[in-house]
Structures are given as structure tokens and as C-alpha cells.
Amino acid sequence: MPARSALVVAVAATAGAFGLGGCSSSPPATAGESATTQLQQAAGSLDATKTFKLTVDTHVPNGPGAVQTSSPQPGPSPAPSTESIKMSGTWDAATGLARMDGTLNSVKTTILSASGVEYVSLVPGTAQSAGKKWLKVDDANATFGDFCNPQLVAQLLRAYHEVRLVASGHLSGTIETAEADQHIADPNLVASLAGLPPTLRFDVWTDGSGTPTKIEFALAGAGAVTTGDVRLDSFGTAPAQVSVPTINEVEQAPVG
């Protein structure tokens, strides 16, 4: 879940160990396994996922310490109330390395992630010191939050409110954030849901073995919550080649 306020934790608990599961019963999934069973199989496969592609198109409420990443404008230029994040890239859960490219508040941006620390490319003229090309942001203000951890995504799917079979290999359902604490053992993940809408809608596509090929979340809500769409796909793809910026290239983001 992308969210500077929280969407950022322990290995996913298994459904059997902590009783994770939906609140509603699901209709039979034709002659095959039920939609519930298929979703559990997909979540189990995510637990072992190492590399994947993440695509984010969201608006995230800004905290009080929001950092300006766009070109400076004449006169006062307060940060927008929400950040527009449109980025895509590959993640390696084993190494904690990732590279995302796209736009942040309509500005062309690259974000590198290294074990929870993000490095945001700086537009020329925005750095506080000469020669700085990257803004270092700790995980408390991370841009991509929990959606970049497939094991946490698996926990979310196991906490479904309802799930149904749309077509062969296509599941659709919802997660109610207010009841998530009944199904998720990780308190950090439960806390991060506060920055998301009351209802999350998800779609999961699987292959013949039950392994997910694409997962999409639709985040729609009002008020100070993250909205937009998040997609995970290309599981097993080649990991990103990430060179962590040197100390001479990095400027520390203000705390906030």
C-alpha cells in the first residue's frame, strides 16, 4: 500500500497458524476448487515470491514533512495536499533492492529502494547542496509501503471479506479494513491500513497451477486516504540492477 503515513514488518503468518480467512462464505467455483481455496493457493504462492513488477498509480496524502521534488516556482510554493505517484519497476524481495521509474507530482522521477531506504532523484535546482542528485528517505516516509512486500500482500488476500470466481483463473473480492485486525496477526500491517480506504477491491489472475500471474488492488475512498490502483505481475522476472548512491550524492530528507 503506498502511503507516506504508513503503507511499510514480519513474515506472513500462515492461514492455519493464525486463523486468517474471510468473513463471508464464497459460492462454489464451478466444478473445480472453490474461490476461497483458489485464493488461499494464490496467497501461498506469494509467500515464496522473490521478484516481481510493481505498478502504482495513486494519490497519497502528504504529511507535515512533505518534501518538494518539483522544479522551484517563483514565490511561495506549498506542497500539494496529496502526492500523485505514477511509477513502475521491478522488486527483489530477497535482496530488498528495487528501481521504480515514472512521475512524482507529474515530475519525471526515479526512486531506488535498498532494504527500506529510498533514494528519490532530485530535479536540478531543488537540492540544498551542490552536487546532490538523490534525496534519502527512511522507511517511515516510504513511497510504496506494504505493496512492495509480497508476503504482506498475501496476508491482505487472506483477510478477504468476500471472494468470488469471475471466470476460470480470475478471482475478485474485497477487504474491509475495519475488520482486518480479526484476520491479520501482524500489528504493523493492521496499523498501515489506517491510511487506506474502508474497502479495498482486488482481482487475482492465476495460471493452471493456482500461481498468481497478476494481482490488482483498487483503492477508492474520501478524506485523507490513499486512492488509486496498484498492480503486481511478472512474478519471477529478472531483478532490477540497483547501484546505491554514494554519500557524496545524497541529501537527507527532513524528518516529518
Side-chain angles (χ1 to χ4, degrees), residues 222-243:
V225 296
T226 297
T227 58
D229 301 289
V230 179
R231 183 173 73 249
L232 293 82
D233 58 20
S234 302
F235 300 103
T237 189
Q241 299 299 310
V242 177
S243 296

Side-chain angles (χ1 to χ4, degrees), residues 52-224:
F52 59 97
K53 180 180 178 181
L54 177 67
T55 301
V56 174
D57 186 353
T58 59
H59 285 82
V60 182
N62 262 330
V67 177
Q68 181 184 358
T69 55
S70 59
S71 300
Q73 302 295 322
S77 183
S81 59
T82 61
E83 276 192 351
S84 172
I85 302 171
K86 297 184 178 182
M87 308 195 82
S88 184
T90 57
W91 289 73
D92 188 336
T95 64
L97 296 175
R99 175 182 173 128
M100 298 285 285
D101 293 283
T103 61
L104 184 60
N105 297 333
S106 300
V107 177
K108 187 177 180 180
T109 304
T110 294
I111 297 182
L112 307 179
S113 183
S115 300
V117 178
E118 290 184 355
Y119 300 88
V120 184
S121 61
L122 288 169
V123 173
T126 60
Q128 299 297 314
S129 304
K132 305 298 185 180
K133 300 178 181 179
W134 299 91
L135 190 70
K136 183 179 179 181
V137 183
D138 64 25
D139 58 3
N141 288 313
T143 307
F144 306 106
D146 295 333
F147 286 124
C148 62
N149 185 331
Q151 295 174 335
L152 296 183
V153 173
Q155 283 199 49
L156 279 178
L157 293 178
R158 291 186 176 114
Y160 66 90
H161 175 75
E162 62 87 22
V163 60
R164 62 188 178 89
L165 185 69
V166 178
S168 179
H170 180 191
L171 302 166
S172 184
T174 59
I175 298 163
E176 301 293 332
T177 55
E179 64 188 27
D181 60 347
Q182 302 174 34
H183 314 290
I184 296 176
D186 185 344
N188 294 307
L189 178 55
V190 172
S192 75
L193 297 179
L196 296 177
T199 300
L200 311 182
R201 301 192 177 278
F202 65 83
D203 286 271
V204 178
W205 288 264
T206 63
D207 62 17
S209 68
T211 301
T213 57
K214 181 170 65 173
I215 301 170
E216 291 186 347
F217 289 91
L219 317 175

